[in-house]
Amino acid sequence: MIFDRLKWFNISDNTDSVTANGKNWEAIPKQVVLPQGAKIATFSGDGSASAPDAIIMLNSDTTANVIGKITDCYAVTGVFNGTGQSTENNATLNLSFDEEYIFDDHRYEVNFVSFGLIRESDVKSTKWGG
């Protein structure tokens, strides 16, 4: 039978990572729900940002789109309302994975894509697929 000659990797429905052919593969959720008080950092394009360097703290639970993962942080996009970390004023952060971002009604043109970072451990819940 041909099936006896193929390599098969047993992956359960709740598996979030697997090692196959010597490489580690990790499942990434489509969206995550971030709890009120969660801190979002922006990715500066040079890899220097990290989740502790947050620029906004969320005012309420918020759903974010996940575009990838960097070490222990999800890379997220979306519109986030919260308190600016440097000004302590209400602020809106619009991260659209585009060549611009908007923070507190100020539009910034950038030469790299903009997205936020949130620690995986700070996520309230995940939304897989569909």
Side-chain angles (χ1 to χ4, degrees):
M1 204 162 124
I2 192 167
F3 295 115
D4 291 334
R5 298 192 183 271
L6 297 175
K7 290 184 179 180
W8 291 94
F9 303 98
N10 187 14
I11 302 172
S12 340
D13 289 341
N14 63 347
T15 299
D16 57 6
S17 65
V18 66
T19 300
N21 294 332
K23 295 182 180 179
N24 295 323
W25 301 90
E26 190 163 337
I28 305 295
K30 183 175 182 175
Q31 294 181 315
V32 291
V33 176
L34 310 177
Q36 178 180 352
K39 295 179 180 179
I40 298 177
T42 55
F43 184 77
S44 65
D46 63 4
S48 64
S50 64
D53 300 326
I55 67 163
I56 196 167
M57 185 169 58
L58 298 177
N59 286 341
S60 62
D61 289 3
T62 305
T63 299
N65 299 311
V66 178
I67 59 170
K69 190 172 178 192
I70 301 172
T71 60
D72 65 340
C73 296
Y74 286 122
V76 296
T77 61
V79 176
F80 307 101
N81 294 305
T83 304
Q85 292 297 285
S86 60
T87 63
E88 296 185 8
N89 294 328
N90 285 336
T92 299
L93 178 63
N94 184 343
L95 299 172
S96 60
F97 199 61
D98 200 350
E99 292 182 358
E100 67 182 19
Y101 71 93
I102 301 168
F103 179 66
D104 204 15
D105 293 327
H106 299 287
R107 183 178 302 275
Y108 298 90
E109 298 292 328
V110 293
N111 294 323
F112 52 86
V113 293
S114 60
F115 55 88
L117 295 174
I118 183 85
R119 288 198 189 282
E120 185 177 12
S121 59
D122 292 340
V123 168
K124 184 174 185 176
S125 63
T126 56
K127 296 182 179 183
W128 298 93

